Amino acid sequence: MEHTNINVIDIDTEKAPSMTSIIWREIVRDKIALLSLIFLVIITAFVYGISLFLNQEEIVKVDLFAINQPPSSEFWLGTDYGGRDIFGQLIIGTRNSLSIGILVTLMTGIIGVVYGLVSGYYGGTIDNMMMRIVDFFLILPFLMIVIVFVAIVPKYSIWSFSLIMTAFLWMGITRIIRSKALQERELDYAQASKTLGTPDWKIMFTQVLPNLSSIIIVTMTLNLAANIGLESGLSFLGFGFPESTPSLGTLLGYARNPQTLELRWWIWLPAAVMVFLLMLAVRNVGEALKRATDARQRRG
Amino acid sequence: MALLEVKDLKVHFPIRGGILNRKIDEIKAVDGVSFSIEQGKTYGLVGESGSGKTTTGRAIIGLNHVTSGNIRFSGVDLTNLKSNRRDIRKEIQMIFQDPYSSLNPKKSVFDIVAEPLRNFERLSKVEERKRVQELLEHVGLSPESIFKYPHQFSGGQRQRIGIARAIALKPKLIIADEPVSALDVSVQAQVLNFLKDIQKDLNLTYLFISHDLGIVKHMCDEIGIMYKGRYVEEGSRDDIFYNPQHIYTKRLIAAIPDIDPFKRQKLQEWRDEVEKEYKKHYDDYFDHEGLAYGLRSISNTHLVALPQKG
């Protein structure tokens, strides 16, 4: 081929509707999902914003002169049996619960995508061995190991709690990604890349991965709702954070006391409503994303 | 010396089953295939679905595991070669059957065509874009299409993108695996003629895999007919089309449709005759497993799997 004098041009012709615009259209079409998204954005911004000005030490300090006070102008949502402000705990607790949910979702997502992609792409013996490791993790008694972990770890932080949850929650997304990768690697475009001399890791992460992006987004969103719920559940049972680190689950945990449950609704009800709304909102958005990835289910 | 020499190529796939997933049987997808292709020629590999023609092509380019036999490409054995394979890869490229699944839907045409260049050549961004635009121009697409995505093109255009990608590294051999069978007939001729044009321009050698004898007649210099993983007949275009010896080849050739309605009666009679002969002699031409016998040469260019009598 002789060099013809083609000028290097730079034009942006009409593009296919990008995934972002499809998702956006789907969410706008679905009023409940749109409301949920707005709610989530506001809550997240509010919680992270306010907690910058709140002093956790101050809030969790025991004040014996103000125990079990009902909501008032001083304590907007009353106080608990230690005289600690519930409103402040709710803000910090929501932030902590959200942080854990997001951290766990991201970490399980990264592990699951890489592990599942490698396993599914290579297939055969490698896949077999890698999936047996997954099976091993699946049969471990999650709750029991978390209880033991709580007992032996001296300093319990958001990070260590997220890590222990991640260790037991990465298998679900791994299996989804692996089954998708098994399908994708058989497609001609992946085979074509091989014949063009592209190395395997490059095919995995630059050719196959973009085709899995929609399923990754959907799975991770739905996982986020589940992870927030799981954190609250564990803390409620007393295997999550101590009272010095408020989370939605520790607030809910006060309701284990029958008197609190019956007479002092302000301690546990706001946290319960918050967990309920957060999970519902994330799930609504997740369902809209799920529909956006499947042209037959789309509303927009 | 021939550019590509395939000798006694076998590709067997294991069938696993029973307890412990033992190998209980194997499918002989390709079972002892030999042929050679001269530089600049087009070799047609013909056969029905499942006859092993695609597997042969994929084994040559390295997508399928070779059970035994050897493949020599300009003197280098491809079957037991791992480290040097990358250089050889550059010389052999493939055009895929399905232009819809062979292009990554998430990549722009620019990324698709530039992929082989990025693997083998160190080009600057501007050079790379220039090369891609030249390649697209070469296959008859406007250079502006580099920012479009595959779904914005028709089947014929997509196949041209696939061809641009295959010729990007200036290969010597192109394995064309039914390159037009997914396209509609009006576009088929266009793509085929275009393949012939670039063959002349770039001095390409084709291994042309197809089940359509009309297309093979138009494209190929030499033809091999496969049936159940084995060759039944091999020869020049004239040998195969005007002097078919094997009953299977005769039957294939009788099945080519003719556009002339006045010949319809005559053709039907001919087909019936060939069919009758096929049924009558089936046991002579195929062994007890229904496989073809070994090839025997009946002229300089013509090899036929004739029955082993006498």
Side-chain angles (χ1 to χ4, degrees), chain A residues 1 3 6-11 14 16 188-189 191-198 206-207 210-211 213, chain B residues 58 63 86 89 93 96 101-102 104-107 115 119-120 129 133-134 138 144 147 151-152 165:
Chain A
M1 263 170 287
H3 279 259
I6 310 164
N7 296 320
V8 174
I9 39 153
D10 201 332
I11 32 154
E14 25 97 46
D188 277 348
Y189 76 83
Q191 306 276 329
S193 283
K194 274 190 205 171
T195 70
L196 296 168
T198 312
T206 66
Q207 302 279 338
N211 284 292
S213 57
Chain B
R58 290 170 58 100
L63 288 176
R86 259 176 80 83
R89 275 253 162 103
Q93 287 298 322
F96 286 82
S101 76
S102 62
N104 192 338
K106 296 269 174 182
K107 298 275 173 186
E115 189 185 341
N119 285 334
F120 288 103
R129 178 169 297 183
Q133 284 179 348
E134 278 168 11
H138 205 107
E144 291 95 68
F147 293 113
H151 68 93
Q152 289 166 294
R165 175 173 67 178

Side-chain angles (χ1 to χ4, degrees), chain A:
Chain A
M1 263 170 287
E2 75 278 11
H3 279 259
T4 42
N5 46 349
I6 310 164
N7 296 320
V8 174
I9 39 153
D10 201 332
I11 32 154
D12 214 64
T13 38
E14 25 97 46
K15 267 197 172 168
S18 67
M19 201 63 215
T20 347
S21 71
I22 291 174
I23 288 172
W24 180 241
R25 220 162 46 198
E26 185 66 32
I27 287 177
V28 170
R29 241 355 116 83
D30 184 351
K31 288 287 170 276
I32 297 173
L34 184 63
L35 273 177
S36 301
L37 187 68
I38 293 169
F39 170 77
L40 277 177
V41 170
I42 291 173
I43 283 288
T44 316
F46 182 72
V47 156
Y48 281 89
I50 295 274
S51 61
L52 286 179
F53 305 106
L54 287 177
N55 187 347
Q56 188 173 324
E57 301 284 305
E58 202 59 44
I59 283 166
V60 298
K61 199 181 259 172
V62 175
D63 180 1
L64 290 176
F65 296 106
I67 57 170
N68 292 335
Q69 299 226 342
S72 63
S73 58
E74 192 190 348
F75 304 111
W76 289 358
L77 285 171
T79 57
D80 64 6
Y81 72 93
R84 291 166 290 206
D85 181 23
I86 297 292
F87 181 74
Q89 287 194 66
L90 184 68
I91 298 295
I92 291 183
T94 309
R95 186 201 65 183
N96 286 348
S97 290
L98 265 178
S99 300
I100 290 176
I102 292 167
L103 263 179
V104 171
T105 308
L106 282 181
M107 287 195 289
T108 51
I110 291 167
I111 296 175
V113 166
V114 173
Y115 197 96
L117 204 54
V118 170
S119 180
Y121 178 80
Y122 283 110
T125 322
I126 293 176
D127 176 47
N128 222 336
M129 286 188 321
M130 290 179 79
M131 292 322 281
R132 293 301 77 75
I133 296 172
V134 168
D135 289 346
F136 170 74
F137 273 91
L138 277 172
I139 55 155
L140 288 178
F142 173 46
L143 212 54
M144 203 188 86
I145 293 180
V146 172
I147 293 168
V148 172
F149 182 80
V150 172
I152 56 172
V153 169
K155 200 173 168 291
Y156 210 46
S157 68
I158 290 181
W159 275 100
S160 53
F161 192 63
S162 302
L163 281 175
I164 182 82
M165 277 179 68
T166 303
F168 294 96
L169 293 174
W170 58 275
M171 295 84 75
I173 189 166
T174 302
R175 283 158 59 117
I176 292 172
I177 298 298
R178 176 246 179 194
S179 71
K180 271 282 170 188
L182 273 176
Q183 286 172 16
E184 291 287 324
R185 73 171 182 145
E186 293 301 328
L187 292 182
D188 277 348
Y189 76 83
Q191 306 276 329
S193 283
K194 274 190 205 171
T195 70
L196 296 168
T198 312
D200 281 339
W201 65 268
K202 234 178 173 175
I203 301 178
M204 268 186 264
F205 292 102
T206 66
Q207 302 279 338
V208 176
L209 191 60
N211 284 292
L212 302 180
S213 57
S214 52
I215 190 135
I216 293 171
I217 293 170
V218 171
T219 320
M220 283 180 53
T221 312
L222 294 176
N223 277 357
L224 178 61
N227 291 337
I228 293 172
L230 197 59
E231 185 278 329
S232 306
L234 280 171
S235 295
F236 172 79
L237 292 173
F239 305 129
F241 288 112
E243 282 171 13
S244 59
T245 313
S247 81
L248 292 176
T250 53
L251 283 173
L252 280 172
Y254 293 135
R256 277 180 302 173
N257 178 342
Q259 273 202 315
T260 307
L261 182 63
E262 209 180 323
L263 301 171
R264 295 187 276 277
W265 56 268
W266 59 86
I267 294 177
W268 54 270
L269 191 64
V273 171
M274 184 62 90
V275 171
F276 176 72
L277 287 181
L278 271 183
M279 286 177 66
L280 200 66
V282 174
R283 213 202 70 95
N284 283 337
V285 175
E287 286 296 324
L289 291 183
K290 200 174 178 180
R291 280 200 312 275
T293 59
D294 182 355
R296 277 168 301 181
Q297 291 183 32
R298 263 176 226 160
R299 293 180 191 171

Side-chain angles (χ1 to χ4, degrees), chain B residues 31 227-228 230 246 281-294 307-308:
Chain B
D31 194 24
Y227 178 67
K228 289 191 179 173
R230 290 192 188 179
H246 199 278
H281 293 294
Y282 184 85
D283 289 337
D284 298 339
Y285 279 87
F286 296 103
D287 65 14
H288 59 281
E289 283 181 84
L291 298 173
Y293 293 105
Q308 317 283 85

